[in-house]
Amino acid sequence: MGTNGSAVTKDMTIAEVLRQNPNTAQVLMRHGMHCLGCSTAAGETIAQAAVVHGIDLDTLVKELNEA
């Protein structure tokens, strides 16, 4: 669960996840998402990013919540 007590969901944008818990950057980077500050991160959801990067969505959400 995120540092503010809110769980990361597949519908959150990358930027929202990073604001909620900066530690999630390590998880995203490990999965090949290196453009965390770019404009795409502001509008792309975790679900969309998982598809684009070929990552299992459930695994990604689980890891983000454990960060």
Side-chain angles (χ1 to χ4, degrees):
M1 191 160 311
T3 56
N4 69 1
S6 299
V8 172
T9 67
K10 64 183 177 89
D11 298 317
M12 294 173 74
T13 66
I14 294 170
E16 288 172 328
V17 172
L18 290 168
R19 273 194 302 274
Q20 178 177 297
N21 181 358
N23 294 332
T24 57
Q26 294 175 27
V27 174
L28 296 168
M29 295 287 283
R30 188 170 62 243
H31 285 286
M33 298 178 199
H34 301 286
C35 189
L36 302 179
C38 70
S39 60
T40 301
E44 187 173 58
T45 65
I46 295 301
Q48 292 167 327
V51 169
V52 169
H53 291 275
I55 302 164
D56 179 74
L57 178 59
D58 292 332
T59 299
L60 180 59
V61 170
K62 179 179 181 281
E63 289 182 18
L64 290 169
N65 279 305
E66 292 172 349

